[in-house]
Amino acid sequence: MNISGSRTTFARIAMIIMASFALAFVVPALADTSAMTLSITFSGVFAAILVTLLLQAANRRKQLFDAMRTELNKLRRLYHISKNLSVAAPERYRSWFTDVHGYLQAYLMHFSGKDFSAYDSSNAAFRKLSYHIYTIPSVESRKEAALFEDLLRTTATIAESRQQIQELWAHRMSSYLWMILASLAAGYVFTALLVVDDTLISRLAGGVVVFAGVLALDLLWQLDAMSSDRDIMAKRYVENLGKLELGHRD
């Protein structure tokens, strides 16, 4: 799991650090040792829930990237199969391939200047590409028939990948679950600070405990929203166009 960092991310972490330690030093030192068991129990429950949700969010993110890589790979394959048909019989396929290239270019360029949240709005551009595949001129040889069958399978795989991407992208944690997590986080911070006394070491330890919990919650948010990945994911589609253009010139 490799989450992209940015200035905004580092600034947010710095704010979490400052807020956590400020809270630990500002709150009254209750030093309630009788609450130690409660604090440990609450921390364990909170950590268990967070770890479970983090694993689920990380797995969703991995599946989404895998589906995206499959789509981009198959888009390149679609291009090369279409190009081979055009080379094999230019008199019949050249015009058709030119349109394939244009629709493919338009689909990939849809992501230029956008982040990945614009994925659903690319449906129309993909439909133009996929529908045009079926307008291929009649095939006349076994080689052309084999290439066309491969082209249909590739197009179907792309469509399946897009469906998987859209479902995974939409499958975020609900607002209700986030409300529960926010309540648990508040309880976690409260019980952790109950046992803090007025010594420097105790307050520093309290700040570390609060920081760890809030940072884990922030990580879960980043994984669920994939806010650090959105620009990079969209950029990969535009970069895929560059690879196709290079092949087209060749």
Side-chain angles (χ1 to χ4, degrees), residues 3-6 8-9 12 60-61 65 115-117 169 172 218-233:
I3 299 179
S4 304
S6 65
T8 303
T9 301
R12 186 174 60 254
R60 167 178 167 262
R61 179 178 180 273
F65 270 87
D115 66 31
F116 205 70
S117 60
W169 184 259
R172 290 188 58 184
D218 180 73
L219 175 60
L220 179 58
W221 173 267
Q222 292 298 312
L223 285 172
D224 184 55
M226 287 186 278
S227 54
S228 298
D229 297 315
R230 296 182 176 205
D231 291 340
I232 294 174
M233 294 166 73

Side-chain angles (χ1 to χ4, degrees), residues 185-198:
Y188 165 82
V189 171
F190 175 73
T191 56
L193 295 178
L194 276 178
V195 298
V196 171
D197 59 37
D198 207 21

